[in-house]
Amino acid sequence: DALVTISDRSSSLVTVSNIDMTSTAHANAFQPQISYNNGNAAANTNWWMDFDFVFVNKGTTVPVSVNSFNLTAIDVDGDGSRLHEYVAFLSPNSYLLESNTLLSVQDVLLNILNILTAGKQFDGPVTNFANIDVTATQVMTTVNYINKSSFRLRAGGGTIGGSSSVADRMYSFWFKGFDYNVPVQVTLPIKLSAFNAVLGNNSKRVDLSWTTAYEKNVSHFIVERSTDGINYADAGMVFAYGNTTESKNYSISDNI
């Protein structure tokens, strides 16, 4: 079994219309329906809701670790005009995309108990795909986890260039893998176990520190700063150990 908790949301305007839709699409998938502002989103708006999953022994609340499992996000698309959906997963071991995918991938940091944790975000197109179709692999991604007893996922959306009146979206997450026509699998070259940012005593410096649990062919880290969460500039570079299966600590200070 899995215990599912709504752990965070971007604002109080983000609500659950249906925690798990079983009357449509795939009953065996986790299918939350999430609404922003009763379905009405202004131009250039972004919203999200986070879910925490904890695996437990069947019929109990005793946590249990799962050796390996796949989780597929299906039909990450848009409204056909200005709105697009996105999903994010914390610390997957690898992810799978179609070679001609319409999803764009970016790194994200999610806040868990005041600790920033790295993840992967998959942004869908504004194109609308009919139904929740598991053959539409160009708007699907499958992530793989190894030896996990818990994880977090994010379901979100955003508008580009105009408003939308259909910001009440259904998501479909299925704990299984699927056949992709020309699959491209990416194993993450690094596992980030901790990231912290502390304001210095003089309030003019930010001290950053992070820890990696695994590195493979990593050259360096680029630290970026932003004042609006949209526009970023390089703040510094730190060389990596490169290849290691041991925990490694890094730090850098940025004067603001």
Side-chain angles (χ1 to χ4, degrees):
D1 291 344
L3 304 179
V4 183
T5 304
I6 299 172
S7 52
D8 204 357
R9 55 181 176 171
S10 55
S11 79
S12 59
L13 294 176
V14 184
T15 57
V16 173
S17 302
N18 191 324
I19 190 60
D20 186 18
M21 301 181 68
T22 57
S23 61
T24 186
H26 310 288
N28 290 330
F30 172 56
Q31 300 187 143
Q33 183 179 357
I34 301 170
S35 177
Y36 175 78
N37 194 27
N38 295 315
N40 298 295
N44 304 315
T45 303
N46 178 73
W47 64 91
W48 48 263
M49 179 172 284
D50 287 352
F51 297 88
D52 280 343
F53 285 73
V54 177
F55 296 114
V56 295
N57 285 320
K58 185 176 181 180
T60 75
T61 58
V62 178
V64 62
S65 181
V66 179
N67 291 335
S68 178
F69 65 91
N70 293 320
L71 177 59
T72 300
I74 306 168
D75 195 47
V76 186
D77 62 354
D79 68 346
S81 179
R82 303 184 181 98
L83 181 148
H84 74 101
E85 301 169 355
Y86 65 85
V87 296
F89 304 91
L90 278 190
S91 304
N93 176 67
S94 64
Y95 62 88
L96 192 69
L97 293 169
E98 188 64 83
S99 62
N100 64 338
T101 184
L102 295 178
L103 306 182
S104 60
V105 186
Q106 61 178 309
D107 296 320
V108 291
L109 290 173
L110 276 63
N111 192 323
I112 299 181
L113 299 176
N114 294 320
I115 297 176
L116 294 176
T117 306
K120 285 292 182 180
Q121 180 169 305
F122 302 87
D123 292 86
V126 297
T127 306
N128 178 45
F129 282 72
N131 304 317
I132 313 298
D133 188 357
V134 296
T135 66
T137 50
Q138 62 270 49
V139 286
M140 289 169 49
T141 183
T142 298
V143 296
N144 173 259
Y145 284 96
I146 294 177
N147 295 326
K148 283 286 187 179
S149 60
S150 64
F151 71 96
R152 177 174 293 194
L153 67 80
R154 171 172 291 183
T159 52
I160 303 172
S163 62
S164 175
S165 60
V166 289
D168 189 7
R169 312 296 297 179
M170 173 184 169
Y171 298 81
S172 186
F173 301 97
W174 204 337
F175 284 86
K176 63 181 296 185
F178 290 89
D179 292 329
Y180 289 69
N181 296 318
V182 185
V184 176
Q185 183 170 6
V186 179
T187 299
L188 303 188
I190 187 172
K191 182 177 182 180
L192 192 67
S193 57
F195 188 97
N196 293 287
V198 179
L199 188 64
N201 292 332
N202 59 6
S203 299
K204 294 184 180 296
R205 188 186 76 246
V206 176
D207 296 323
L208 307 172
S209 63
W210 62 98
T211 302
T212 63
Y214 166 87
E215 295 179 21
K216 182 178 181 181
N217 298 329
V218 180
S219 170
H220 59 276
F221 301 91
I222 296 294
V223 178
E224 296 186 335
R225 76 165 71 91
S226 173
T227 57
D228 57 11
I230 299 174
N231 301 298
Y232 289 83
D234 291 353
M237 182 178 71
V238 177
F239 287 101
Y241 281 85
N243 290 282
T244 179
T245 57
E246 299 178 352
S247 293
K248 298 298 180 181
N249 298 312
Y250 299 90
S251 64
I252 190 174
S253 294
D254 180 34
N255 294 318
I256 57 177

